[in-house]
Amino acid sequence: DVGIVGFPSVGKSTLISVVSNARPKIAAYPFTTLVPNLGLVRWYDERSFVVADIPGIVEGAHYGRGLGYQFLRHIERCRALVHIVEVTPDEADRDPIADFEVLNHELALFSSSLAARPQIVALGKMDLPFVAERADELRAWFEARGHRFFTFSSASRAGLSELIDAIGRLAAESPAPD
């Protein structure tokens, strides 16, 4: 139903491990996830939805760079996307807004219908002070561009209820892909 996308090591596998029955490999190095992981999320009594932890997408993926276009194909099966962004301690090498734009550009270069999929943006690792410091600024930027924006911490579980509810609603409202 929903693909969790983002750059490598932004917390996609950790998120799916705390919201679903999936138990992916989690480690502190890029490209830990080499195959998509699927998890079933219980949502309101008898309702549920399936989330897919998509391996990290990097600039040039539509050409096969990184783990490449084979994973872009997995995203095509999803009704909607949850785009995880992160704030790194040394922002000289990464920026959450630039990462978001690069990944969405890769989606568009691969498939115009994929680029048009409904998506929400979520900032993880909110238990870290340097992440929390940028949350309001990032919320303003994403919401000014019409994106629903959520913050969460997989470690403390803060914000997960709201995020799961938003993902469930997004999955329920989004049509199946062609």
Side-chain angles (χ1 to χ4, degrees):
D1 295 312
V2 178
I4 301 174
V5 300
F7 265 60
S9 301
V10 297
K12 299 178 301 295
S13 296
T14 303
L15 175 62
I16 196 174
S17 75
V18 298
V19 301
S20 77
N21 64 344
R23 297 295 168 252
K25 179 179 179 181
I26 298 171
Y29 56 87
F31 299 112
T32 305
T33 303
L34 298 175
V35 296
N37 294 294
L38 299 178
L40 183 68
V41 179
R42 299 273 177 220
W43 182 56
Y44 291 124
D45 298 328
E46 300 297 317
R47 298 171 75 185
S48 61
F49 57 90
V50 176
V51 291
D53 167 19
I54 307 295
I57 304 295
V58 296
E59 190 168 14
H62 73 285
Y63 287 124
R65 183 166 180 250
L67 297 175
Y69 52 82
Q70 66 201 44
F71 295 114
L72 290 167
R73 285 192 204 122
H74 287 292
I75 301 170
E76 284 186 307
R77 298 180 185 141
C78 301
R79 294 174 180 269
L81 306 175
V82 175
H83 191 136
I84 306 295
V85 294
E86 79 168 337
V87 173
T88 57
D90 177 16
E91 300 217 19
D93 64 338
R94 298 267 307 280
D95 176 72
I97 293 170
D99 289 355
F100 176 83
E101 291 177 333
V102 164
L103 196 142
N104 278 313
H105 185 67
E106 288 299 319
L107 297 177
L109 290 172
F110 184 74
S111 163
S112 60
S113 68
L114 186 55
R117 288 288 144 77
Q119 68 176 288
I120 59 175
V121 180
L123 174 64
K125 305 178 185 178
M126 282 294 291
D127 52 303
L128 301 173
F130 60 89
V131 175
E133 287 172 6
R134 295 228 21 227
D136 291 338
E137 165 205 343
L138 293 170
R139 177 181 305 282
W141 191 90
F142 284 105
E143 289 181 349
R145 285 150 185 83
H147 299 288
R148 291 188 287 173
F149 184 84
F150 296 85
T151 59
F152 72 96
S153 168
S154 294
S156 71
R157 308 294 200 263
L160 287 179
S161 295
E162 296 85 0
L163 182 59
I164 290 168
D165 190 49
I167 295 170
R169 291 182 191 287
L170 184 66
E173 296 166 359
S174 301
D178 295 336

